[in-house]
Amino acid sequence: MLIALIARDKDGALQTRLDNRAAHLAYIEDTGVVAQAGPLLDGDNMIGSLIILDVADMAAAQGWADNDPYAKAGLFHSVDLIVWKKVIG
């Protein structure tokens, strides 16, 4: 099941993102369930994340989201998990 994780950073939280980026990227690599990922941008500024998870169910997606180092650091203002259907690519 593909799940789109759309997370928006808290205002003024760029340093939190930068401080936890290496741990976040290691978590992506170690868990092996991320199909695609990248930051949301406002100009050159990172303001959130879009991550496509390939997991068994919504509970697995929620568990992944809850254990993301960014989430544990309190980076996000909001996180949405939405079932996604890949059509192109």
Side-chain angles (χ1 to χ4, degrees):
M1 166 178 269
L2 296 174
I3 307 289
L5 182 158
I6 302 169
R8 305 231 180 229
D9 294 359
K10 292 177 181 172
D11 289 339
L14 180 59
Q15 193 59 52
T16 301
R17 175 176 279 276
L18 296 174
D19 290 346
N20 291 280
R21 187 169 169 80
H24 167 74
L25 294 175
Y27 180 66
I28 287 174
E29 186 172 328
D30 292 346
T31 57
V33 299
V34 175
Q36 298 179 37
L40 300 174
L41 301 174
D42 181 10
D44 291 334
N45 298 317
M46 293 181 283
I47 59 165
S49 297
L50 171 61
I51 300 171
I52 304 298
L53 300 169
D54 189 352
V55 293
D57 53 31
M58 189 60 78
Q62 187 65 61
W64 191 94
D66 291 345
N67 288 294
D68 179 358
Y70 279 167
K72 288 184 172 186
L75 173 62
F76 300 130
H77 171 264
S78 66
V79 176
D80 293 310
L81 295 169
I82 305 165
V83 176
W84 182 67
K85 180 180 177 182
K86 182 178 180 181
V87 175
I88 298 172

